[in-house]
Amino acid sequence: MNELPNKGLLPEGLRDVLPPDAAFEAEVTSGLMACFAGHGYERVKPPLIEFEKSLLSGVGEATARDTFRLMDPVSQHMMGVRPDMTVQVARIAATRLSQAPRPLRLCYAGQVLRARGNQIQPERQLGQAGAELIGSPAAAADVEVVRLAVEALDGVGIEEITVDLNMPTLIAALMDDLELDEAAADALRAALDRKDAAAVAAAGGEAAEILQHLLGVAGPADNALAAIENLALPAGAARERDALLETARLIAGELSDIRLTVDPVETRGFEYHCGVTFTLFARSERGELGWGGRYTVDRGDGGKDVAEPATGFTLFMGAVMGALPGPQPANRVYLPFGTPPATTAGLRGEGWVVVGGLEEVADICTEAQRMNCPYVLQDDDVVAVDKLS
Amino acid sequence: MADNGQDDGLIMALPKGRILKEVMPLLRGAGIEPEPAFEDPESRQLRFATNHPNLSIIRVRAFDAATFVAFGAAQLGVVGNDVLMEFDYPDIYSPLDLGIGRCRMVVAEPKEVADDDNPERWSHIRVATKYPQITRRHFAGRGVQAECIKLNGAMELAPALGLCRRIVDLVSSGETLKANGLVEVEQIADITSRLAVNRTALKTRSEEINGWVESFREVADAA
């Protein structure tokens, strides 16, 4: 009665990754991780599922809507499948590694699950790779993580990277200054996320005027930073602006070799951030490759310093793979049945991918092509199949 | 290479029909002249070159213009905020109100229903509309579950033929409602067409895209 129409059918938003893409994604992920490791970021591996309470507290709050939940039959507590790994790394830093020397540099890669996809991105299982730098309030830490994200993406072959710097706390400070009520602030934030100029104008008053200016300044970093500096803002927002500008300028100065834009009204995805944040784009991919920025880790150990400054970023493997041209074809060589193990080992040592025949065949060239091998081993020499036929 | 749109060209998605007539003066004002086939009603072409080698135009249904921009298949487009509200695509920015295609989205019902109806008592209503998401959201906001019957046109027929008693539709003069014995009972939103921009395109090609937004802003402000 409940039979599936076809056993190949997967639930919405989930898919099989086949050769050669699966190997390519693993290769790119390890390329990114090698770059993080090379900068002193040590890998952690949190579990796939944990208690909902720790998964959704603090920086995890924003992901509550996206979390798959299930009941732990052992403890009878609710558990969640991680929708994001940053929150797990923050938990590790606040608990098991709370005594480790600061600044603490950690990195991670793994799969996450979201309860639902959206129209633009229907995938529910996503690969993430990221790095977190915990325990330093210095602007140099912000610069380090942006630089690391760009270096890692560049290292795996992503071209035309754009870093978009954002200032979600500027908008928050501005909303406070203008003493907007919750509903009005939410409506404005939604309008800003869509850069809906008409809706911002419709809000009227002082808020509309300032926000319209802010909408207009988004663009290449040099102009945008100058424009933001010259904006007339209420006191609280102006203080926030000055602090953000200092960090943004430092990042811009250090990253003069890449495309840098500034968008002060972008707040999506940054619900838990508290300083300069950034979004990574590549021209060849419609989704963002990743995002990151300043946040606070809740130590929650009852001690005096309950909050710890942190910064870091998460890369989305789906988008990263989308921005790359496909994998290079592997150097596969077909070995006729009976090839001695020593020969095989020799070829492996030279970097060949060997595909061994399991029985005698009439024509090894045809068999090699059928097995997707452009080369065959003939009389102890590796020969291109198309040279033989 | 320049105008094939796959690599470097920009694509602008324009809606077919009524709005297109109002878009043309803005387009020309911004210095964009489409190839002659664009205005030839006999032409079966879907994609058109312009006097800018880097910019081509596609002509699609109003709802599809938003979809092309949302997925980055077109970087720019003209889209009504009715469509933007219905889809609520996170990847479309609408930085400029073009001030054209002005109309209103309203709830309407037959006059005799309106006369003895108390909306306070509703828990569930049935509505014919082209905008099921907006309709559901609107009524959910006041605690009413709206069951939507999706129609693609001629909404005004639905109450007369007993499909449902209410419709949510766009009106400009209100003549069509009147001719079908319907009265407007509530306005949901003011509608105009917006210049829509794909989010990633704005980030990765900000100079080009901002340039076009500014050109259109000058024309729209002058109008």
Side-chain angles (χ1 to χ4, degrees), chain A residues 3 10 30 33 61 72 87 201 229 246 262 299 319 343 366:
Chain A
E3 251 174 67
L10 294 170
S30 56
M33 296 305 286
E61 212 182 304
D72 180 7
V87 52
E229 181 164 21
E246 198 185 323
V262 176
R299 295 286 289 253
T343 312
T366 312

Side-chain angles (χ1 to χ4, degrees), chain A residues 130-344:
Chain A
E132 309 295 333
L133 174 45
I134 296 147
S136 168
D142 296 282
V143 176
E144 177 173 311
V145 295
V146 181
R147 199 169 240 319
L148 180 63
V150 171
E151 187 184 321
L153 289 172
D154 186 59
V156 297
I158 307 271
E159 291 176 359
E160 297 190 84
I161 301 169
T162 294
V163 177
D164 190 39
L165 293 181
N166 314 121
M167 310 176 164
T169 51
L170 179 61
I171 298 301
L174 196 54
M175 303 274 182
D176 283 347
D177 280 342
L178 297 169
E179 290 173 354
L180 295 171
D181 63 65
E182 198 64 30
D186 280 349
L188 266 178
R189 232 174 266 129
L192 290 173
D193 271 344
R194 303 284 188 278
K195 293 213 187 331
D196 184 343
V200 171
E206 195 188 357
E209 200 176 315
I210 297 174
L211 291 171
Q212 275 175 308
H213 272 297
L214 274 176
L215 273 180
V217 306
D222 292 344
N223 294 338
L225 290 175
I228 293 170
E229 181 164 21
N230 293 327
L231 270 183
L233 291 174
R239 263 197 311 279
E240 191 64 40
R241 181 252 322 263
D242 295 343
L244 291 167
L245 269 183
E246 198 185 323
T247 308
R249 282 241 156 79
L250 211 59
I251 295 173
E254 286 270 331
L255 291 169
S256 51
D257 47 339
I258 62 150
R259 263 189 56 87
L260 197 68
T261 55
V262 176
D263 184 344
V265 303
E266 183 88 55
T267 60
R268 70 181 73 184
F270 297 128
E271 291 81 0
Y272 62 79
H273 286 79
C274 62
V276 171
T277 62
F278 57 96
T279 316
L280 300 151
F281 292 93
R283 189 144 156 187
S284 51
E285 165 62 28
R286 63 182 153 85
E288 60 253 317
L289 305 189
W291 59 37
R294 272 265 158 219
Y295 60 97
T296 350
V297 174
D298 186 0
R299 295 286 289 253
D301 52 5
K304 277 180 217 98
D305 341 282
V306 284
E308 188 171 27
T311 178
F313 61 87
T314 304
L315 303 177
F316 309 120
M317 292 312 297
V320 171
M321 300 316 292
L324 286 169
Q328 292 294 320
N331 275 333
R332 285 161 66 96
V333 55
Y334 182 80
L335 307 183
F337 177 64
T339 301
T343 312
T344 308

